[in-house]
Amino acid sequence: MATGGVESKEVSLHALVKLSTFRGNKHLICGGGSISLVVKLLSSPHILPAVTARCAVILANLSANGRPALRALVGICQSEAGLVKSAVVSCSGISVVLALLDDSNQEIRELAINLVFLFSQHEPEGVVEYLLKPRRLEALVGFLENSEKGDMQRAAAGLLANLPKSETSLTEKLIELGGLKAIIQIIRSGTGEAKENALSALFRFTDPTNLKSQRVVVELDAFPPLTGLLRAGSVTASARAAALLGDLSMRTPELSDLHIKKHGWFWSCLPRAHAATCPAHGGSCSVSTAFCLLEGGALPDLVQVVQDKVHATAYEAIQTLSTLVQEDSPQRGAAVLHEYGAIGPTMEVLRWGSESLKTEALILLEKVFVSTEMVDLYSAMARAPLGQLASHSLCDERLLQRKAVKVLLLIERYSRSSTTSLVSTTAPVTD
């Protein structure tokens, strides 16, 4: 099977199919390295249908009622990720392993959830169909809740992160069964990789188009651990936490405005001390009612993330800070960013950031510099990095060039005391 030609491989596989049906042979087959050969065969180009079918049967036989094959397969998939897709796509391996999640043996269930997590990257639809069947989702929530098994929490959270967010029925059922609560608890106290996977899974609940789901996230007190990860998490965890806070912040202007409309004239007649308005949103803001970043205490940490000059985290932090500057009232958000020291570090990004990060910084600065006050405060600092970007003419930086010129034009337009000609700091932009 290891060294023979196609015909030899077919004969060997045919024999192995029969041998693998007997329980006593399974340990011998696994110990002899057969699983690695079977999975590698599946990844070979121009594989014959007969070979694919036999490989699938062998994997199924070895996995049924026995742990050695599962343990070996988990090891192979973790160390040779390129073989996972072949094992899933070529032989529908996920259908074999999914059934083992119902096994009465705890170790088999643990091995199975790790495999399903790896396989779900390539066949998530099959997993969703399985989980929506009776009692299956309860079992997955049980994996999430089991704080004594960090590896299972990691795999279960990673599995949910891989499933399509468009499956709203799955999202709703997870909330009903306590799955969202378990995910937030992992974010608070789980192991490092489990936290990262749980953060990724949380995105299905913070979708800005699903206000109902967002409210449940905030009601479960997710803001503090997300804010905490900005300063104390890994790069991946910090970036995901910043992006999740950005999802929630996108709805704040609407929710703040809704509060004013709800209270109507009564709100406007309240004494000033009792009718404090949010400086960023102009309404009555809180974490619980409007998901406000300012009220949640996230701004200092978001600014620090940008100052730390790590591309992945700075990218998400700038996008989240940008949600504070609204088109209908940019002065308020810009003033808050100035107060918290966010504008200077954002301009510094234009010197050290990647192309995509510089683009996000320019998008934010474009919002900020429609405020005359911000132009007066920062135009002197902004002209040099903007002018440098605007003078570049490389094809891969043409978008940056156009955006930099646009921000410079805004500075000239809203400047009260500009004496520098735009012509002297920029080069012409050509298509």
Side-chain angles (χ1 to χ4, degrees), residues 215 218 223 248-249 251-253 255-256 281 284-293:
R215 284 196 185 280
V218 175
F223 240 82
L248 295 171
S249 178
R251 296 302 294 266
T252 305
L255 295 172
S256 178
H281 302 105
S284 176
C285 279
S286 70
V287 173
S288 60
T289 61
F291 321 152
C292 179
L293 291 175

Side-chain angles (χ1 to χ4, degrees), residues 76 124 261 429:
I76 290 169
K261 291 179 179 178
V429 181

Side-chain angles (χ1 to χ4, degrees), residues 187-199:
I187 292 171
R188 286 196 187 97
S189 58
T191 62
E193 197 173 348
K195 279 186 181 181
E196 292 176 1
N197 287 355
L199 287 163

